[in-house]
Amino acid sequence: MLDGFYVIDKPVGVTSHDIVSRVRRAIGQKKVGHTGTLDPFATGVLPVAVGEGTKAIQFLDESEKEYRAVLRLGIATDTQDLTGQVVSERDWTGVTPADLEALVPRFTGKLSQLPPMFSALKQGGVPLYKLARQGKEVEREPREVEIYSLTFDWIRLPEAAFTVRCSRGTYVRTLACDIGEALGCGAHLLELRRLKSGLFLEAEAITLETLQEAADKSELLMPLDRALDHLKSFELCEEAGRRIANGIAPQVQDLPPGALDELKQDEEVRLYVAGRLAAVARCDKVRGLRLARGFN
């Protein structure tokens, strides 16, 4: 049984669900799931959990994402990217590269973003994109997102490439659309590539073909330890490990002296027994630790 994460370099034209199905076939395991959906037209970093890795998805730190994108001024589409239907065409010829650069401060920091209709967000249990395909548009609540940095890599009007570091939940398509509206000519995305999702990086991404052809597929795995490396860790005795295996949280005396003082309320930590990851627990300043998830 393989346990951990594959950092897949998603190709254009396939869904994130398609990637999960292909990984499942490549490794001969059913327990596979992805984190952080990528649109079919997008490429790049797609973390795929396998085996016990699927239990760890909820504990990942994917608070920061990084993307490289290409926008096209003058044309707006209903999907905010090149796959959609054109909804408006406006003159962009009055726009200069300096106009784009001048917008960077306006689109950096905390922003209010209206989720697009063509998205996986659900309303009444139905994904918005399904309603959009029926020609329906429903009211959506704006969400606060944060743009940590935004830089234009090149500007060859009416196209421009930019790199953005942003918070989880940011729609880069919507960012491009909003930039176009701020310029008065509209815009949509031609390309989108995810370079980073938390600690999962483009430099470590592998293609599906590489995974399929690998003789030892475990060598390509990111282990659970590393995927959860942002969490503090404590080593427990074997007796505490046996209790954890039975769903019983460790006692205060099982932890190193002063361990709880290092933690914040509800902070998540890794628990190890004999050097093996046994569980993730949450700090309870009153009761000690509460088990969040055990690992086999």
Side-chain angles (χ1 to χ4, degrees):
M1 173 71 76
L2 296 168
D3 300 306
F5 289 84
Y6 287 115
V7 187
I8 299 296
D9 188 342
K10 178 191 165 302
V12 69
V14 296
T15 67
S16 300
H17 181 72
D18 292 335
I19 297 298
V20 168
S21 298
R22 295 185 188 184
V23 170
R24 192 176 283 135
R25 288 196 298 271
I27 66 175
Q29 278 184 212
K30 291 184 178 180
K31 208 172 178 182
V32 179
H34 70 78
T35 78
T37 302
L38 274 177
D39 293 328
F41 89 100
T43 66
V45 173
L46 182 68
V48 176
V50 302
E52 292 291 281
T54 58
K55 296 180 181 179
I57 290 175
Q58 62 184 304
F59 307 115
L60 296 175
D61 179 11
E62 293 186 284
S63 55
E64 183 179 304
K65 315 271 187 171
E66 184 173 349
Y67 298 87
R68 185 170 59 245
V70 177
L71 63 76
R72 203 284 189 188
L73 297 177
I75 299 175
T77 70
D78 56 0
T79 60
Q80 302 177 341
D81 61 47
L82 76 169
T83 68
Q85 299 294 315
V86 174
V87 294
S88 71
E89 292 192 50
R90 285 171 276 175
D91 183 25
W92 57 268
T93 55
V95 177
T96 68
D99 293 330
L100 276 170
E101 295 283 5
L103 286 175
V104 169
R106 178 172 167 182
F107 286 96
T108 306
K110 292 183 178 179
L111 307 176
S112 179
Q113 198 176 69
L114 184 67
M117 276 301 299
F118 282 89
S119 67
L121 290 178
K122 294 182 178 180
Q123 187 165 109
V126 180
L128 291 181
Y129 68 84
K130 290 190 176 181
L131 298 175
R133 287 172 181 168
Q134 297 170 14
K136 299 177 182 178
E137 181 161 351
V138 297
E139 193 170 326
R140 288 100 67 204
E141 288 292 325
R143 303 194 305 182
E144 185 180 89
V145 300
E146 187 165 3
I147 307 299
Y148 305 120
S149 69
L150 173 64
T151 56
F152 283 96
D153 305 312
W154 53 259
I155 300 175
R156 296 192 284 270
L157 297 175
E159 297 178 7
F162 62 92
T163 299
V164 58
R165 287 192 306 109
C166 54
S167 63
R168 183 175 187 171
T170 302
Y171 286 94
V172 182
R173 285 181 287 137
T174 301
L175 176 64
C177 178
D178 290 345
I179 288 173
E181 290 306 312
L183 293 168
C185 61
H188 69 282
L189 280 191
L190 296 178
E191 298 176 19
L192 179 63
R193 180 169 180 79
R194 185 154 64 196
L195 308 176
K196 173 184 177 182
S197 180
L199 56 77
F200 301 102
L201 308 176
E202 179 187 37
E204 300 172 308
I206 60 171
T207 65
L208 284 168
E209 291 73 23
T210 297
L211 177 61
Q212 290 163 350
E213 295 168 5
D216 185 354
K217 293 174 172 49
S218 64
E219 291 185 350
L220 301 174
L221 268 179
M222 177 185 290
L224 288 179
D225 292 70
R226 190 172 157 214
L228 300 178
D229 194 45
H230 59 288
L231 303 181
K232 291 176 183 175
S233 64
F234 298 108
E235 181 75 27
L236 306 179
C237 66
E238 291 190 8
E239 176 56 35
R242 283 190 284 272
R243 289 198 297 272
I244 287 175
N246 289 316
I248 302 172
Q251 301 170 6
V252 175
Q253 56 265 34
D254 294 324
L255 300 171
L260 285 181
D261 297 333
E262 300 177 22
L263 305 176
K264 300 175 184 176
Q265 179 68 25
D266 296 323
E267 182 176 350
E268 295 167 345
V269 297
R270 292 172 291 161
L271 301 178
Y272 287 81
V273 177
R276 184 187 66 82
L277 179 64
V280 169
R282 291 190 179 93
C283 173
D284 186 321
K285 288 294 188 179
V286 176
R287 293 183 293 175
L289 292 177
R290 292 176 284 112
L291 287 182
R293 173 68 76 170
F295 298 96
N296 297 327

PDB file of all heavy atoms in Angstrom, residues 202-224:
ATOM      1  N   GLU A 202       6.198  23.343  -8.087  1.00  0.00           N
ATOM      2  CA  GLU A 202       6.326  22.954  -9.490  1.00  0.00           C
ATOM      3  C   GLU A 202       7.604  22.152  -9.720  1.00  0.00           C
ATOM      4  O   GLU A 202       7.612  21.193 -10.505  1.00  0.00           O
ATOM      5  CB  GLU A 202       6.324  24.202 -10.369  1.00  0.00           C
ATOM      6  CG  GLU A 202       6.474  23.910 -11.857  1.00  0.00           C
ATOM      7  CD  GLU A 202       6.650  25.170 -12.684  1.00  0.00           C
ATOM      8  OE1 GLU A 202       7.315  26.108 -12.206  1.00  0.00           O
ATOM      9  OE2 GLU A 202       6.124  25.225 -13.809  1.00  0.00           O
ATOM     10  N   ALA A 203       8.689  22.511  -9.032  1.00  0.00           N
ATOM     11  CA  ALA A 203       9.977  21.830  -9.238  1.00  0.00           C
ATOM     12  C   ALA A 203       9.910  20.353  -8.879  1.00  0.00           C
ATOM     13  O   ALA A 203      10.720  19.555  -9.359  1.00  0.00           O
ATOM     14  CB  ALA A 203      11.058  22.516  -8.406  1.00  0.00           C
ATOM     15  N   GLU A 204       8.949  19.963  -8.045  1.00  0.00           N
ATOM     16  CA  GLU A 204       8.813  18.574  -7.620  1.00  0.00           C
ATOM     17  C   GLU A 204       7.700  17.828  -8.360  1.00  0.00           C
ATOM     18  O   GLU A 204       7.480  16.647  -8.114  1.00  0.00           O
ATOM     19  CB  GLU A 204       8.542  18.529  -6.115  1.00  0.00           C
ATOM     20  CG  GLU A 204       9.644  19.164  -5.281  1.00  0.00           C
ATOM     21  CD  GLU A 204       9.271  19.290  -3.813  1.00  0.00           C
ATOM     22  OE1 GLU A 204       8.198  19.843  -3.523  1.00  0.00           O
ATOM     23  OE2 GLU A 204      10.049  18.811  -2.979  1.00  0.00           O
ATOM     24  N   ALA A 205       7.016  18.528  -9.250  1.00  0.00           N
ATOM     25  CA  ALA A 205       5.885  17.917  -9.938  1.00  0.00           C
ATOM     26  C   ALA A 205       6.344  16.912 -10.991  1.00  0.00           C
ATOM     27  O   ALA A 205       7.378  17.092 -11.634  1.00  0.00           O
ATOM     28  CB  ALA A 205       5.021  18.993 -10.589  1.00  0.00           C
ATOM     29  N   ILE A 206       5.575  15.842 -11.143  1.00  0.00           N
ATOM     30  CA  ILE A 206       5.867  14.813 -12.140  1.00  0.00           C
ATOM     31  C   ILE A 206       4.676  14.681 -13.080  1.00  0.00           C
ATOM     32  O   ILE A 206       3.537  14.976 -12.712  1.00  0.00           O
ATOM     33  CB  ILE A 206       6.147  13.443 -11.473  1.00  0.00           C
ATOM     34  CG1 ILE A 206       4.929  12.982 -10.649  1.00  0.00           C
ATOM     35  CG2 ILE A 206       7.397  13.513 -10.607  1.00  0.00           C
ATOM     36  CD1 ILE A 206       5.016  11.566 -10.132  1.00  0.00           C
ATOM     37  N   THR A 207       4.940  14.226 -14.282  1.00  0.00           N
ATOM     38  CA  THR A 207       3.856  14.006 -15.229  1.00  0.00           C
ATOM     39  C   THR A 207       3.192  12.656 -14.951  1.00  0.00           C
ATOM     40  O   THR A 207       3.774  11.778 -14.301  1.00  0.00           O
ATOM     41  CB  THR A 207       4.375  14.012 -16.673  1.00  0.00           C
ATOM     42  OG1 THR A 207       5.262  12.890 -16.848  1.00  0.00           O
ATOM     43  CG2 THR A 207       5.107  15.313 -16.986  1.00  0.00           C
ATOM     44  N   LEU A 208       1.997  12.490 -15.476  1.00  0.00           N
ATOM     45  CA  LEU A 208       1.307  11.208 -15.349  1.00  0.00           C
ATOM     46  C   LEU A 208       2.104  10.104 -16.025  1.00  0.00           C
ATOM     47  O   LEU A 208       2.158   8.969 -15.533  1.00  0.00           O
ATOM     48  CB  LEU A 208      -0.087  11.299 -15.967  1.00  0.00           C
ATOM     49  CG  LEU A 208      -1.139  12.042 -15.148  1.00  0.00           C
ATOM     50  CD1 LEU A 208      -2.364  12.316 -15.998  1.00  0.00           C
ATOM     51  CD2 LEU A 208      -1.522  11.242 -13.909  1.00  0.00           C
ATOM     52  N   GLU A 209       2.737  10.459 -17.136  1.00  0.00           N
ATOM     53  CA  GLU A 209       3.528   9.466 -17.865  1.00  0.00           C
ATOM     54  C   GLU A 209       4.699   8.974 -17.020  1.00  0.00           C
ATOM     55  O   GLU A 209       5.023   7.781 -17.007  1.00  0.00           O
ATOM     56  CB  GLU A 209       4.037  10.064 -19.183  1.00  0.00           C
ATOM     57  CG  GLU A 209       2.960  10.328 -20.231  1.00  0.00           C
ATOM     58  CD  GLU A 209       2.067  11.503 -19.905  1.00  0.00           C
ATOM     59  OE1 GLU A 209       2.506  12.389 -19.123  1.00  0.00           O
ATOM     60  OE2 GLU A 209       0.932  11.542 -20.410  1.00  0.00           O
ATOM     61  N   THR A 210       5.331   9.895 -16.298  1.00  0.00           N
ATOM     62  CA  THR A 210       6.448   9.512 -15.427  1.00  0.00           C
ATOM     63  C   THR A 210       5.975   8.538 -14.360  1.00  0.00           C
ATOM     64  O   THR A 210       6.643   7.538 -14.069  1.00  0.00           O
ATOM     65  CB  THR A 210       7.056  10.760 -14.762  1.00  0.00           C
ATOM     66  OG1 THR A 210       7.599  11.610 -15.772  1.00  0.00           O
ATOM     67  CG2 THR A 210       8.164  10.372 -13.787  1.00  0.00           C
ATOM     68  N   LEU A 211       4.819   8.814 -13.781  1.00  0.00           N
ATOM     69  CA  LEU A 211       4.265   7.925 -12.755  1.00  0.00           C
ATOM     70  C   LEU A 211       3.916   6.564 -13.343  1.00  0.00           C
ATOM     71  O   LEU A 211       4.229   5.512 -12.762  1.00  0.00           O
ATOM     72  CB  LEU A 211       3.024   8.559 -12.128  1.00  0.00           C
ATOM     73  CG  LEU A 211       2.290   7.712 -11.081  1.00  0.00           C
ATOM     74  CD1 LEU A 211       3.200   7.393  -9.903  1.00  0.00           C
ATOM     75  CD2 LEU A 211       1.023   8.426 -10.606  1.00  0.00           C
ATOM     76  N   GLN A 212       3.289   6.581 -14.499  1.00  0.00           N
ATOM     77  CA  GLN A 212       2.872   5.322 -15.122  1.00  0.00           C
ATOM     78  C   GLN A 212       4.058   4.436 -15.475  1.00  0.00           C
ATOM     79  O   GLN A 212       3.993   3.215 -15.353  1.00  0.00           O
ATOM     80  CB  GLN A 212       2.044   5.634 -16.384  1.00  0.00           C
ATOM     81  CG  GLN A 212       0.672   6.233 -16.069  1.00  0.00           C
ATOM     82  CD  GLN A 212       0.039   6.912 -17.279  1.00  0.00           C
ATOM     83  OE1 GLN A 212       0.677   7.115 -18.309  1.00  0.00           O
ATOM     84  NE2 GLN A 212      -1.231   7.273 -17.154  1.00  0.00           N
ATOM     85  N   GLU A 213       5.159   5.061 -15.878  1.00  0.00           N
ATOM     86  CA  GLU A 213       6.312   4.290 -16.349  1.00  0.00           C
ATOM     87  C   GLU A 213       7.284   3.920 -15.227  1.00  0.00           C
ATOM     88  O   GLU A 213       8.183   3.096 -15.436  1.00  0.00           O
ATOM     89  CB  GLU A 213       7.049   5.093 -17.426  1.00  0.00           C
ATOM     90  CG  GLU A 213       6.211   5.301 -18.691  1.00  0.00           C
ATOM     91  CD  GLU A 213       6.831   6.322 -19.629  1.00  0.00           C
ATOM     92  OE1 GLU A 213       7.962   6.797 -19.336  1.00  0.00           O
ATOM     93  OE2 GLU A 213       6.188   6.671 -20.646  1.00  0.00           O
ATOM     94  N   ALA A 214       7.131   4.511 -14.062  1.00  0.00           N
ATOM     95  CA  ALA A 214       8.070   4.265 -12.967  1.00  0.00           C
ATOM     96  C   ALA A 214       7.984   2.827 -12.476  1.00  0.00           C
ATOM     97  O   ALA A 214       6.888   2.308 -12.213  1.00  0.00           O
ATOM     98  CB  ALA A 214       7.793   5.223 -11.812  1.00  0.00           C
ATOM     99  N   ALA A 215       9.123   2.169 -12.339  1.00  0.00           N
ATOM    100  CA  ALA A 215       9.149   0.797 -11.834  1.00  0.00           C
ATOM    101  C   ALA A 215       8.840   0.774 -10.340  1.00  0.00           C
ATOM    102  O   ALA A 215       8.115  -0.093  -9.848  1.00  0.00           O
ATOM    103  CB  ALA A 215      10.526   0.179 -12.097  1.00  0.00           C
ATOM    104  N   ASP A 216       9.388   1.748  -9.601  1.00  0.00           N
ATOM    105  CA  ASP A 216       9.127   1.856  -8.166  1.00  0.00           C
ATOM    106  C   ASP A 216       8.380   3.158  -7.916  1.00  0.00           C
ATOM    107  O   ASP A 216       8.973   4.225  -7.800  1.00  0.00           O
ATOM    108  CB  ASP A 216      10.440   1.847  -7.383  1.00  0.00           C
ATOM    109  CG  ASP A 216      10.201   1.832  -5.868  1.00  0.00           C
ATOM    110  OD1 ASP A 216       9.029   1.934  -5.451  1.00  0.00           O
ATOM    111  OD2 ASP A 216      11.188   1.724  -5.114  1.00  0.00           O
ATOM    112  N   LYS A 217       7.066   3.052  -7.826  1.00  0.00           N
ATOM    113  CA  LYS A 217       6.237   4.251  -7.695  1.00  0.00           C
ATOM    114  C   LYS A 217       6.340   4.897  -6.322  1.00  0.00           C
ATOM    115  O   LYS A 217       5.960   6.055  -6.145  1.00  0.00           O
ATOM    116  CB  LYS A 217       4.785   3.909  -8.046  1.00  0.00           C
ATOM    117  CG  LYS A 217       4.637   3.547  -9.529  1.00  0.00           C
ATOM    118  CD  LYS A 217       3.240   3.069  -9.863  1.00  0.00           C
ATOM    119  CE  LYS A 217       3.051   2.901 -11.375  1.00  0.00           C
ATOM    120  NZ  LYS A 217       4.089   2.152 -12.066  1.00  0.00           N
ATOM    121  N   SER A 218       6.873   4.182  -5.347  1.00  0.00           N
ATOM    122  CA  SER A 218       7.026   4.755  -4.010  1.00  0.00           C
ATOM    123  C   SER A 218       8.120   5.819  -3.984  1.00  0.00           C
ATOM    124  O   SER A 218       8.094   6.721  -3.148  1.00  0.00           O
ATOM    125  CB  SER A 218       7.346   3.657  -2.989  1.00  0.00           C
ATOM    126  OG  SER A 218       8.602   3.058  -3.271  1.00  0.00           O
ATOM    127  N   GLU A 219       9.090   5.722  -4.912  1.00  0.00           N
ATOM    128  CA  GLU A 219      10.183   6.688  -4.937  1.00  0.00           C
ATOM    129  C   GLU A 219       9.695   8.087  -5.315  1.00  0.00           C
ATOM    130  O   GLU A 219      10.372   9.075  -5.028  1.00  0.00           O
ATOM    131  CB  GLU A 219      11.266   6.243  -5.920  1.00  0.00           C
ATOM    132  CG  GLU A 219      12.039   5.009  -5.466  1.00  0.00           C
ATOM    133  CD  GLU A 219      13.175   4.668  -6.404  1.00  0.00           C
ATOM    134  OE1 GLU A 219      13.232   5.276  -7.505  1.00  0.00           O
ATOM    135  OE2 GLU A 219      14.008   3.821  -6.056  1.00  0.00           O
ATOM    136  N   LEU A 220       8.547   8.176  -5.955  1.00  0.00           N
ATOM    137  CA  LEU A 220       8.014   9.463  -6.408  1.00  0.00           C
ATOM    138  C   LEU A 220       7.078  10.093  -5.383  1.00  0.00           C
ATOM    139  O   LEU A 220       6.600  11.209  -5.583  1.00  0.00           O
ATOM    140  CB  LEU A 220       7.271   9.277  -7.735  1.00  0.00           C
ATOM    141  CG  LEU A 220       8.101   8.702  -8.889  1.00  0.00           C
ATOM    142  CD1 LEU A 220       7.220   8.427 -10.094  1.00  0.00           C
ATOM    143  CD2 LEU A 220       9.229   9.659  -9.253  1.00  0.00           C
ATOM    144  N   LEU A 221       6.815   9.374  -4.300  1.00  0.00           N
ATOM    145  CA  LEU A 221       5.876   9.844  -3.280  1.00  0.00           C
ATOM    146  C   LEU A 221       6.510  10.863  -2.344  1.00  0.00           C
ATOM    147  O   LEU A 221       7.658  10.717  -1.936  1.00  0.00           O
ATOM    148  CB  LEU A 221       5.396   8.679  -2.425  1.00  0.00           C
ATOM    149  CG  LEU A 221       4.119   7.931  -2.809  1.00  0.00           C
ATOM    150  CD1 LEU A 221       3.891   6.805  -1.815  1.00  0.00           C
ATOM    151  CD2 LEU A 221       2.913   8.851  -2.860  1.00  0.00           C
ATOM    152  N   MET A 222       5.731  11.885  -1.965  1.00  0.00           N
ATOM    153  CA  MET A 222       6.092  12.733  -0.842  1.00  0.00           C
ATOM    154  C   MET A 222       5.483  12.083   0.392  1.00  0.00           C
ATOM    155  O   MET A 222       4.263  11.906   0.466  1.00  0.00           O
ATOM    156  CB  MET A 222       5.540  14.152  -0.996  1.00  0.00           C
ATOM    157  CG  MET A 222       5.842  15.041   0.214  1.00  0.00           C
ATOM    158  SD  MET A 222       5.076  16.678   0.122  1.00  0.00           S
ATOM    159  CE  MET A 222       6.025  17.423  -1.200  1.00  0.00           C
ATOM    160  N   PRO A 223       6.289  11.703   1.394  1.00  0.00           N
ATOM    161  CA  PRO A 223       5.752  11.024   2.571  1.00  0.00           C
ATOM    162  C   PRO A 223       4.868  11.942   3.417  1.00  0.00           C
ATOM    163  O   PRO A 223       4.972  13.170   3.351  1.00  0.00           O
ATOM    164  CB  PRO A 223       6.999  10.594   3.332  1.00  0.00           C
ATOM    165  CG  PRO A 223       8.073  11.501   2.858  1.00  0.00           C
ATOM    166  CD  PRO A 223       7.747  11.848   1.447  1.00  0.00           C
ATOM    167  N   LEU A 224       4.012  11.322   4.229  1.00  0.00           N
ATOM    168  CA  LEU A 224       3.113  12.082   5.086  1.00  0.00           C
ATOM    169  C   LEU A 224       3.875  13.042   5.988  1.00  0.00           C
ATOM    170  O   LEU A 224       3.442  14.175   6.223  1.00  0.00           O
ATOM    171  CB  LEU A 224       2.281  11.134   5.957  1.00  0.00           C
ATOM    172  CG  LEU A 224       1.185  10.323   5.259  1.00  0.00           C
ATOM    173  CD1 LEU A 224       0.482   9.439   6.273  1.00  0.00           C
ATOM    174  CD2 LEU A 224       0.199  11.239   4.579  1.00  0.00           C
TER     175      LEU A 224
END
